[in-house]
Amino acid sequence: MFSLLALMCFGDKLEEEQIKEIERVQRNLLLSFSRFQILNFWPSVGKILFRKRWEELYQITQDKENVLIPLIRARKKMQQEKFNTESEPEQTEIQSYVDTLLDLELPEEKRKLEESELVALCSEFFDAGTDTTSTALQWILANLVKNPEIQEKLYMEMKQNLSEKYSNPQDQEAIKEEELQKLPYLKAVVLEGLRRHPPAHFVLPHAVTEDTVLNGRLVPKNGVVNVMVAQMGWDPEVWEDPMAFKPERFLRSNGEEIEFDITGSREIKMMPFGVGRRICPGWSLAMLHLAYFVGNLVWNFEWSAGEEDVDLSEKQEFTVVMKKPLQAHLSPRHTPTQND
Ligand code: HEM
């Protein structure tokens, strides 16, 4: 996931070592996040009381800047060189996230972003887009191991609907984005994974801008409001047998797709990405990544339980992860020929 997002962020295929470095600095901050929250309160006094923790945060931030700034500068240099040679952009060129940030001019302040702002935005891109999707992926695969009949049904859907070229084991090409549209059961598996195991059990804290009455209770101006995302997806008044993993609930009885409104613009039955103005800006990318990874991983491997049965207990980290990470046996479905 880090490789994919690093490519999207910097537009270049980075070396394995560089990607590991990005992952290291990002995870360092992410996993110590809760320890630093206290520093938000009364910073002037906190700087004296929690001096060591401030120093630690400073070190982690410096470390992150040392890794991300050279990558941002390299992209900026490349942009400038291209501008100087005035060559037309090639069609295959990737426009990266950093390119768009470098082009951006803040309309009110009429200025470009500063380097520290670029670092913060790239860092947010990695934090928000890697852990969330890989957590969701792990939960989905865990459920496919726990429910082999669902995994088999998914595999059969792919066998029946994918283009002929994928049936040739010698042609080990990854299933393409367009092909994923032909697989309603795959989409249902992803949606069911997000309903049953949303990576975020709460959205980011929001505040009301004026006194507001919610369900008969007054929330005063600036009062913080949050939403119980997981509980909403497990509500027995909305979902039948809510704790069971049943992708069929997102399909008609004939197997056709039910247009499910994941953005909650028509009705809100679950909200793994939040809803409204501050909905996750990466929601459609995440849906694509999940369908792509689940599809390809199940198409290429049969997943079965390891030594122990799959344990679906949860643990709160940055996202709500599996307390005992998934351990599974993977058997290749397509036996390579002797020439491979
Ligand atoms: C399964 C994967 C994902 C889940 C479950 C998820 C979920 C969420 C949730 C619940 C929020 C808070 C919404 C709110 O405050 O109301 C959020 C915010 C955000 N997400 Fe995602 N997300 C996922 C993937 C991604 C990806 C792939 C990206 C980008 C590459 C991304 C970028 C962001 C950003 C930048 C925010 C903050 C938006 C803001 O401050 O308004 N997310 N996400």
Side-chain angles (χ1 to χ4, degrees), residues 12-75:
D12 259 336
K13 277 201 178 135
L14 303 180
E15 299 293 326
E16 184 81 21
E17 271 311 303
Q18 290 174 296
I19 292 166
K20 286 220 169 96
E21 272 297 277
I22 301 176
E23 185 174 358
R24 182 184 65 75
V25 293
Q26 289 297 129
R27 284 199 76 74
N28 236 347
L29 192 56
L30 206 62
L31 295 180
S32 8
F33 189 68
S34 54
R35 294 189 52 244
F36 295 130
Q37 266 173 337
I38 193 151
L39 305 182
N40 285 320
F41 298 105
W42 221 356
S44 50
V45 179
K47 274 196 175 135
I48 300 163
L49 286 180
F50 306 112
R51 197 168 52 86
K52 279 240 155 68
R53 223 175 280 192
W54 270 107
E55 277 170 14
E56 203 188 325
L57 177 62
Y58 180 74
Q59 276 309 323
I60 292 181
T61 313
Q62 279 292 115
D63 195 18
K64 188 173 73 176
E65 289 188 351
N66 291 342
V67 172
L68 296 184
I69 287 179
L71 297 168
I72 294 171
R73 286 189 186 159
R75 198 68 195 176

Side-chain angles (χ1 to χ4, degrees), residues 5 124-125 128-129 132-133 199 203-204 206 272-274 278 280-282 285-286:
L5 262 81
E124 179 195 48
F125 184 77
T132 43
T133 313
V203 293
L204 300 172
H206 296 256
F273 299 106
R278 295 299 290 270
C280 168
L285 181 70

Side-chain angles (χ1 to χ4, degrees), residues 226-278:
N226 214 309
V227 185
M228 314 273 283
V229 173
Q231 302 297 329
M232 207 178 255
W234 302 341
D235 184 351
E237 287 186 18
V238 178
W239 302 97
E240 198 193 310
D241 195 6
M243 300 319 269
F245 192 84
K246 287 188 192 164
E248 286 72 14
R249 60 176 102 239
F250 292 98
L251 298 171
R252 292 184 207 292
S253 51
N254 63 3
E256 273 177 20
E257 180 179 342
I258 299 174
E259 276 283 315
F260 186 77
D261 177 20
I262 191 87
T263 63
S265 45
R266 291 192 298 274
E267 62 168 347
I268 303 174
K269 290 173 84 179
M270 64 186 217
M271 45 183 282
F273 299 106
V275 294
R277 269 195 309 171
R278 295 299 290 270

